[in-house]
Amino acid sequence: MKALQIIETAYRATIEEQDDTVVWFTHAMRGAGAELAVVLRAGAVNYALPGQDASGLAFGDWRQTQPPRIAGDVAALLGRGVPVYVVTEDLRIRGLAEAPLVDGVKCISDEQLPKLVEEYDHVWSW
Amino acid sequence: MRERKTLTFLLMDPPYESARTTTAFRVLQVAAQRGYDIKVFAYEGAVALSFAQQTAHANAVHGRDAETEHHPLPKDWIAALMRDATANGGRIDWVNCGLCVDERGVGAAIEGVRRGSPADFWKLATDSDNTLVIPTRG
């Protein structure tokens, strides 16, 4: 069985969780042998951009020592054999068409997306 | 004789935050009434749906005491759906994401709910006829 994870809800509680919960979920399933791929669309295209820095959160004398490193988590997914795609149109409308992406992330157009979907037994949209 | 389907659902919204929860339970109800083998993986805030210490309250605005108000508790919905599924020849296997439970302190779940991990979700989905993910939005 192969499943395609489409992530479009971005930065939902990522500070508290120290990651994106769907990216994390994908990592955990991959660790259990799941065959998966990820599509980043809508606001989640930003996950493919390196150089993000979410550090520095502090409340009183409490300091967050391990901020989320989502681009690193995306890169790690690629390192574990999970293809990661980012929707070109969603990059463009956010002014990110020329932005550098995490190495290995592939661009895919809205037009190409249905063909990719057909390659998977399940499509889970988050 | 109708084939018994196996369906997996992933729920993510916490109780009392989204109409998606009620809608999801309506779908579960139909599956339960058809005697389907139902698997539910509760992820993130949805693990609180089965929290045993949920307590109904009175509602002064409505002018009703707790008994008359009969405030809905998701844990009671789950228990009722489990009974309904069993009565119709099916069952509900409800799995809470263990880490999500721990970080929220909602380990006291109602009877019939077990802990699991994303690996369990993958297995449930693999063994099912179909799987529906209902994520939190916004």
Side-chain angles (χ1 to χ4, degrees):
Chain A
M1 187 176 92
K2 295 167 58 179
L4 183 64
Q5 300 265 74
I6 299 180
I7 305 174
E8 63 178 81
T9 300
Y11 299 103
R12 191 198 64 81
T14 49
I15 296 291
E16 291 173 70
E17 295 283 4
Q18 298 172 293
D19 49 46
D20 173 82
T21 55
V22 183
V23 172
W24 180 87
F25 202 84
T26 306
H27 265 284
M29 286 196 292
R30 179 63 179 159
E35 195 168 345
L36 301 160
V38 170
V39 171
L40 302 172
R41 60 168 310 186
V45 297
N46 213 64
Y47 285 1
L49 274 61
Q52 301 176 56
D53 182 359
S55 65
L57 183 69
F59 298 115
D61 62 1
W62 185 91
R63 302 282 184 276
Q64 185 167 37
T65 59
Q66 297 290 350
R69 298 177 177 88
I70 298 176
D73 293 339
V74 167
L77 272 181
L78 289 158
R80 300 180 76 176
V82 177
V84 178
Y85 302 87
V86 62
V87 176
T88 308
E89 287 84 349
D90 290 335
L91 283 172
R92 189 178 67 237
I93 63 175
R94 288 167 176 78
L96 300 171
E98 305 301 323
L101 302 177
V102 168
D103 285 345
V105 170
K106 299 173 186 171
C107 289
I108 187 170
S109 68
D110 279 331
E111 191 177 6
Q112 293 169 315
L113 196 51
K115 188 170 185 305
L116 181 69
V117 164
E118 285 181 356
E119 296 175 12
Y120 290 84
D121 304 299
H122 288 273
V123 177
W124 297 327
S125 181
W126 303 79
Chain B
M1 183 176 171
R2 184 160 49 192
E3 179 192 2
R4 183 195 293 184
K5 298 283 188 186
T6 300
L7 300 178
T8 291
F9 298 87
L10 183 145
L11 310 182
M12 197 169 171
D13 286 301
Y16 305 110
E17 296 292 344
S18 166
R20 280 185 295 271
T21 300
T22 307
T23 302
F25 275 70
R26 289 183 195 275
V27 175
L28 292 174
Q29 165 86 344
V30 173
Q33 289 177 342
R34 292 183 181 181
Y36 289 176
D37 195 2
I38 302 165
K39 320 287 186 185
V40 178
F41 189 88
Y43 187 44
E44 298 299 347
V47 295
L49 292 167
S50 58
F51 187 46
Q53 294 174 23
Q54 295 169 13
T55 305
H57 55 69
N59 193 319
V61 172
H62 297 163
R64 296 194 285 254
D65 62 19
E67 184 179 3
T68 310
E69 177 74 358
H70 195 217
H71 190 64
L73 300 177
K75 70 178 175 98
D76 294 339
W77 291 357
I78 295 169
L81 284 172
M82 286 178 168
R83 291 192 296 271
D84 207 19
T86 302
N88 286 288
R91 67 185 292 264
I92 296 178
D93 180 15
W94 191 287
V95 184
N96 276 343
C97 164
L99 297 182
C100 311
V101 164
D102 293 343
E103 65 190 3
R104 290 167 177 80
V106 292
I110 62 170
E111 189 177 353
V113 172
R114 64 185 176 96
R115 285 173 66 99
S117 73
D120 292 287
F121 171 73
W122 180 253
K123 185 172 189 320
L124 296 175
T126 301
D127 295 342
S128 295
D129 292 289
N130 215 334
T131 298
L132 178 63
V133 168
I134 305 174
T136 297
R137 298 285 186 188

